[in-house]
Amino acid sequence: MSINIIGAGLAGLSAALTLAEQGIKSNLISAQQSERAQSVMAEGGINACLNTMGESDKIEYHYEDTMRGGVFLSDPNSVKGLCEAAPSIVKKFERLGVPFEYNRNGIIQRNFGGQKKKRTAYVKSSTGKMLMTALIDEVRKYEAQGLVTRYANHRFLRLIINDNRCCGAVVQNIYTNEILTFGGSVILATGGLNGLFDGMTTGTTQNTSDAAAAVFAQGVELANLEMIQYHPTTIQIQGKRLLISEAARGEGGRLFIKRNGKPWYFMEEKYPELKNLMPRDVVSAEMVTVTALPECDKQVYLDMTGIEKTVWKTRLSDLREQCVHYLSLDPAKEPIPVSPGIHYFMGGIRVDAEHRTSMENLYASGECACQYHGANRLGGNSLLGAVYGGQVAAQTVMTEAKEYDKKAEKAEESTAEASPAFVREIREILYRALPIVRDESNMNNALSELNALRNTAENQTEINRANLALAVVQSAIGRRESRGAHKRADYPERDDNKFKKQTVARLKNGKVEISFKEIGEALS
Ligand SMILES: Cc1cc2nc3c(=O)[nH]c(=O)nc-3n(C[C@H](O)[C@H](O)[C@H](O)COP(=O)(O)OP(=O)(O)OC[C@H]3O[C@@H](n4cnc5c(N)ncnc54)[C@H](O)[C@@H]3O)c2cc1C
């Protein structure tokens, strides 16, 4: 049995480790070393009901918050599995030596958006780095035993398909350009679709979206592509958006805007229960609303000046350093200007509860897959989803992996990448079409522009990216309601009758087709 994992961030590592612990070999293939995966950038924490804060937290509350936060677009059974597994996942990281913060009851947990209890475990502001360091080290042990074989600096090009079944992957060594083929099952763990918004997200542009685009071109279904999360507190810096982690608000940071010249803490006034820690879709939309009011300035600020010195030192040290470094502002001394920026992709490769995709013998997990987060992800649930999804995909593949014959492969591989100009053009079109509040005429213009752009494509990668971008826009047009991260000026209400469903995108005869399927419906 050969198992190939594409992507070596948290999801890929988690899958490789789960297999290795059962004595099963895998190839771990990634465009970059694990140490440079986006997972390393995660700051704020990972969610699990550990109930260490004297708040009588329960796994059911984690489930309820996740379902409500995702505006009921997630598969309830999958979310239940996620929340139930969370405590043992965090405890495993503890055993692997992750230096969480502790009090007398155990791991300290902080407030995070959309959660009614303190449930987010963290390591200062470097949670992702610490989780990754632990997993990288643990996987290394199995590499030494020959159970995991690493192919870092290898780019996924396409699946090998025979009779509509996945029977392997074609990859390219980035350093030598050599083409390699791997037979067997494939787990995709290639991260979010940042490349579609090159340089305009908080994540890494190394997650180009080309892997998702390639499998989409090969007939694999994608889901909920319109669900793109705008994080409320980001700042544009050279080449990307800088994230001001939700931990800042979890530790007492307050959003305000000047109304008639005086600070107005609008989230506190409008949402007295969760205040600044409402789910991200709600906070971002409120920022759009208040900046449009004639009596308000155009800039929202995050006021962290009330945060205690010890908290800055023990829990937010990296965040403070980043602000000083990139903005020449000390957030402990003055409010910083913030605005919403693209941060996370709830949509992606459509998977079932066991992380199978619509193609036999192909699996997906982590941010590249559409699972757990519905219409809006809660902070701290994505690291959890990546680790858990990797485990589930590995467990499924263990029981059903198959070695199908690879049919005779063509000798010439198309390896050309999308040109910077093409990537930029897609980004501009998508950014114009998919702001926090969308409307159909804008999105229709984007469709025409993307179709025209696709006609100028000079290689397969460009065609694939254009098709993926079209699928995102068509999904957004098709969902004629407002839900979570998808807000429409022309359809401001949520419509459960028609749209409490997954938006499914498929490429057929070169054309993007969109349909709506029941949540949890069997994959075709
Ligand atoms: C600044 C920031 C802070 C965050 N903070 C938090 C937080 O506090 N809590 C939380 O829960 N979430 C957080 N997130 C989100 C979270 O980090 C990610 O969703 C999660 O780490 C995704 O893990 P992954 O394994 O799916 O993908 P990644 O870690 O992105 O890994 C993707 C892997 O795929 C490889 N790859 C990509 N394309 C190809 C290709 N074509 N061929 C081969 N390999 C490829 C990459 O090299 C990499 O190895 C944050 C995100 C950002 C950007």
Side-chain angles (χ1 to χ4, degrees), residues 1 3 20 33 37 42 74 87 127 141 167 173 221 239 280 296 298 311 313 348 377 389 430 436 444 453 472 474 522:
M1 166 161 66
I3 300 172
Q33 299 282 355
S74 328
T127 312
K141 197 167 84 187
C167 42
N173 182 323
E221 288 179 352
R280 292 170 182 177
C296 289
K298 297 285 162 246
V311 173
K313 218 169 158 185
R377 169 183 73 95
L430 287 182
I436 294 173
N444 280 334
L453 184 67
V472 175
Q474 282 182 223

Side-chain angles (χ1 to χ4, degrees), residues 73-104:
L73 207 60
S74 328
D75 172 19
N77 289 328
S78 304
V79 173
K80 199 161 169 276
L82 175 84
C83 299
E84 283 171 356
S88 63
I89 285 175
V90 171
K91 284 186 185 136
K92 178 161 184 177
F93 277 116
E94 201 180 11
R95 284 199 300 282
L96 294 179
V98 171
F100 292 109
E101 310 288 314
Y102 287 90
N103 66 14
R104 255 185 261 143

Side-chain angles (χ1 to χ4, degrees), residues 7-8 10-11 31-32 38-39 42-45 156 190 207 344 367 380 382-383:
L10 264 190
Q32 289 192 300
Q38 179 179 295
S39 293
E43 300 171 7
F156 170 81
T190 48
N207 290 349
Y344 188 84
E367 194 174 335
S382 153
L383 294 177

